[in-house]
Amino acid sequence: MAGNSFDKRDFLRLAGGGLIASAVGSRALAQDGRILGLDLPKQVIDLIPRKPLNYLRIAESVAQLEREADRRGFPKSPLETRKGQSLADVADSLYQFAMPRLVALIDRSETIDVQFADQAGELLAELHQNQHELPEALKLGLGELGLKPLLPERRRYLVQPETAQGEIIFVPGAPPSPGGPPSAETLPPKVDAAITAEDEPDKPLSKSREFAALKGEYARLFRKLTVRPQYQETVDWHMALIRKARDRYEKVGAQTGVPWYFIAVTHGLEASFNFRAHFHNGDFPLSARTRQVPAGRPTKWLPPSDWESSAKDALRLLGYVGQSDWSLERTLYRLEAYNGLGYRGLGVPTPYLWSFSNHYERGKFVADGKFSHTAKSQQCGAAVLLKLLADAGDIKLEAAS
């Protein structure tokens, strides 16, 4: 079938074979359910695993919204991509292909039909939650920023907010001590801060959690970063979106002191570039406070109820407002530490920074404390976008002193 429509093969590709294939192949006559135009009995629907079923529903919903936008004559968007491709053909990377199409639908409709834009925004929020991994800093709590640690007995480290010097403190084994930062014996040994990317040879990923020990590695990996060819089209789309939305990011940046490009890449990772959802975690709608961790944000809400206000609250909550050091290495450290340094213990470069690049191939935390060596991140890493923006002259990233 042409265009965005699906046929039985699409259904079977996502749902699997066996009894499901047999039932569909014989055209079950019961009218208990209808998926992608196929009449299916409830007993068959109940046999389909939840994840493939959600993928089917999301994929078809994207296609339906695109058809409706065309029928209503909404203007085209420069962000439209792969519109004619069946999302069922890319079931293993649905997020990578569907997210840009939903962002484009919002771009086409938000100044014309708010209700339609909200439909696309709600679907994007659901897609985001299927992909999103809750950052470790939110799981563990941010001390004086007001979040209580979650299940600390299952965690090796707790996190304190950045110090005045910009250091993120990781305290092994127990909540932060009120007496000040941890003693020297609880932290990894420091390395010579003068080591540069050029001097440092390739070697296994450092297991340190201290900035001084990691900044040379950040500079080296950033310098050697290249985009994997299979992701080039997707990365190009990310660049187009960031440039198109730059004014919005700059507006928030001017009011918080946080660089606009840091806001942009964080927005992509934490909310899938959804301007109709909360910056904190992608929760929809903006007309309500967040439901997921961090829940109940912003505490003062309605009014306002706009994305910019949500973004400013999130940046304050995370301790980014008022920071002065936004060097390349500090920026990458801040991003990785927020999402979690657990990948280092497994020898895997974090996808939060390096996904879609030559530094990352596979390996992902798919649930709290559950790591899969075969899972691949479908989000573009923050360092990838920062590197391309810097190479193109859109931003200038200074090296740490």
Side-chain angles (χ1 to χ4, degrees), residues 21 24 38-39 41 52 64 67 90 140-141 157 162 212 219 227 240 249 256 291 316 338 343-344 370 383:
V24 176
L38 299 173
D39 296 323
Q64 287 176 347
R67 290 192 291 267
V90 289
L140 301 181
Y157 292 90
E162 290 189 28
V227 177
Y249 296 133
T256 60
R291 301 180 307 280
R316 283 192 298 268
Y338 168 64
Y343 285 94
R344 289 187 172 274
K370 183 179 180 182

Side-chain angles (χ1 to χ4, degrees), residues 16-29:
L19 179 59
I20 298 173
S22 174
V24 176
S26 62
R27 288 295 292 167
L29 299 178

Side-chain angles (χ1 to χ4, degrees), residues 94-393:
L94 176 66
Y95 175 89
Q96 181 189 149
F97 287 82
M99 184 272 285
R101 288 163 67 166
L102 286 167
V103 171
L105 282 166
I106 294 172
D107 187 53
R108 294 180 67 184
S109 60
E110 63 182 347
T111 61
I112 299 172
D113 189 327
V114 173
Q115 185 176 6
F116 184 95
D118 278 343
Q119 290 178 358
E122 183 175 14
L123 190 60
L124 178 56
E126 182 179 355
L127 179 71
H128 173 76
Q129 295 305 331
N130 284 338
Q131 172 67 24
H132 187 53
E133 177 193 342
L134 184 66
E136 186 173 279
L138 293 183
K139 294 175 186 174
L140 301 181
L142 290 174
E144 63 195 41
L145 295 182
L147 294 176
K148 295 181 179 179
L150 303 179
L151 301 178
E153 69 280 1
R154 295 175 57 191
R155 296 290 174 178
R156 185 177 177 185
Y157 292 90
L158 294 178
V159 184
Q160 288 181 330
E162 290 189 28
T163 66
Q165 293 74 37
E167 192 71 26
I168 299 175
I169 302 299
F170 298 87
V171 186
S177 168
S183 59
E185 62 265 25
T186 66
L187 293 174
K190 292 188 176 183
V191 299
D192 184 359
I195 293 177
T196 67
E198 298 294 338
D199 298 329
E200 187 177 5
D202 289 339
K203 58 184 179 181
L205 205 66
S206 172
K207 290 182 170 58
S208 175
R209 291 174 171 251
E210 190 177 2
F211 175 66
L214 299 176
K215 70 176 186 177
E217 179 182 273
Y218 285 133
R220 172 174 54 84
L221 292 175
F222 193 81
R223 176 174 56 86
K224 295 184 176 182
L225 185 155
T226 59
V227 177
R228 290 185 181 271
Q230 65 267 37
Y231 297 118
Q232 189 63 58
E233 183 180 355
T234 301
V235 172
D236 288 344
W237 179 90
H238 281 71
M239 294 288 287
L241 179 277
I242 288 174
R243 286 167 172 154
K244 188 175 189 300
R246 178 170 176 167
D247 287 348
R248 300 191 74 169
Y249 296 133
E250 286 183 331
K251 179 181 177 181
V252 175
Q255 296 172 343
T256 60
V258 180
W260 72 267
Y261 50 84
F262 184 92
I263 298 171
V265 298
T266 305
H267 185 218
L269 289 160
E270 297 304 319
S272 294
F273 298 108
N274 192 347
F275 282 104
R276 308 196 75 78
H278 282 286
F279 186 98
H280 311 66
N281 55 17
D283 270 359
F284 177 92
L286 283 171
S287 58
R289 294 183 179 89
T290 57
R291 301 180 307 280
Q292 303 175 89
V293 176
R297 306 296 306 191
T299 54
K300 182 180 179 181
W301 203 236
L302 297 175
S305 60
D306 57 283
W307 176 84
E308 285 77 8
S309 296
S310 173
K312 287 184 285 185
D313 179 78
L315 294 169
R316 283 192 298 268
L317 178 68
L318 298 172
Y320 297 146
V321 176
Q323 297 296 333
S324 58
D325 181 2
W326 289 100
S327 61
L328 163 65
E329 296 89 342
R330 179 67 69 180
T331 295
L332 296 180
Y333 176 65
R334 196 167 276 147
L335 286 163
E336 182 177 8
Y338 168 64
N339 183 249
L341 291 136
Y343 285 94
R344 289 187 172 274
L346 298 166
V348 176
T350 175
Y352 203 80
L353 292 180
W354 310 112
S355 181
F356 292 7
S357 82
N358 56 312
H359 297 316
Y360 173 83
E361 183 173 359
R362 64 181 69 244
K364 188 177 186 298
F365 283 99
V366 294
D368 190 20
K370 183 179 180 182
F371 182 81
S372 168
H373 289 278
T374 58
K376 286 186 178 183
S377 171
Q378 294 303 314
Q379 290 188 296
C380 183
V384 175
L385 296 175
L386 294 176
K387 179 70 157 60
L388 294 183
L389 287 168
D391 288 350

Side-chain angles (χ1 to χ4, degrees), residues 74-96:
F74 290 163
K76 299 299 181 182
S77 166
L79 301 176
E80 289 182 83
T81 180
R82 296 170 170 144
K83 187 177 172 184
Q85 183 172 7
S86 169
L87 289 171
D89 291 332
V90 289
D92 292 337
S93 53
L94 176 66
Y95 175 89
Q96 181 189 149

